[in-house]
Amino acid sequence: MSPRMVMRIMDEFRAAPKRRFGRSSPAADRLSPREWEIMNLLAAGRTTEETAAELFLSPTTVRVHVSTVLKKLRVKDRESALRVLRGE
C-alpha cells in the first residue's frame, strides 16, 4: 500500500465526517455517516465519479447510496435532497 493511501486511511479514521448541513428533519437524522459523506461531496460540486474516486468506491455504489438518501428524505432528485439537508 502506498504511503499516500495509508495517510488517507488514517485521516478517515481520525475525524468523523464534517457535515455542511443542519439536520433538518427526522429523515435526515437517519442518514448513515457514509451517506452524509457522499452528500457533502456532491454538495461541494463533485461528480459521482469524483466522489467515487475520493472515497475508493465504484460510481455504482455512490449512486446506490444517493438512491437510499432520496428514499429516506422522500425526494425525487439530488438537488431536492440537498435543499432538504440545507433546511431550505
Side-chain angles (χ1 to χ4, degrees):
M1 194 179 297
S2 73
R4 181 174 177 243
M5 178 76 85
V6 171
M7 291 303 296
R8 186 89 195 256
I9 291 169
M10 290 179 66
D11 288 343
E12 290 292 327
F13 283 107
R14 279 190 202 126
K18 295 177 183 158
R19 295 188 172 112
R20 294 175 187 261
F21 310 107
R23 292 182 167 212
S24 57
S25 71
D29 289 339
R30 292 193 305 264
L31 296 186
S32 72
R34 180 61 97 182
E35 290 164 349
W36 277 107
E37 193 172 21
I38 288 168
M39 295 309 292
N40 281 330
L41 291 171
L42 294 173
R46 304 249 188 359
T47 66
T48 297
E49 290 74 20
E50 291 167 339
T51 298
E54 188 164 334
L55 299 177
F56 304 102
L57 301 170
S58 74
T60 301
T61 300
V62 171
R63 288 185 194 99
V64 168
H65 280 296
V66 171
S67 177
T68 302
V69 169
L70 299 181
K71 288 176 188 171
K72 286 180 179 181
L73 298 179
R74 297 180 181 176
V75 295
K76 295 179 188 178
D77 54 42
R78 292 178 186 201
E79 292 78 23
S80 297
L82 294 173
R83 282 195 299 275
V84 167
L85 294 172
R86 288 183 187 119
E88 295 176 3

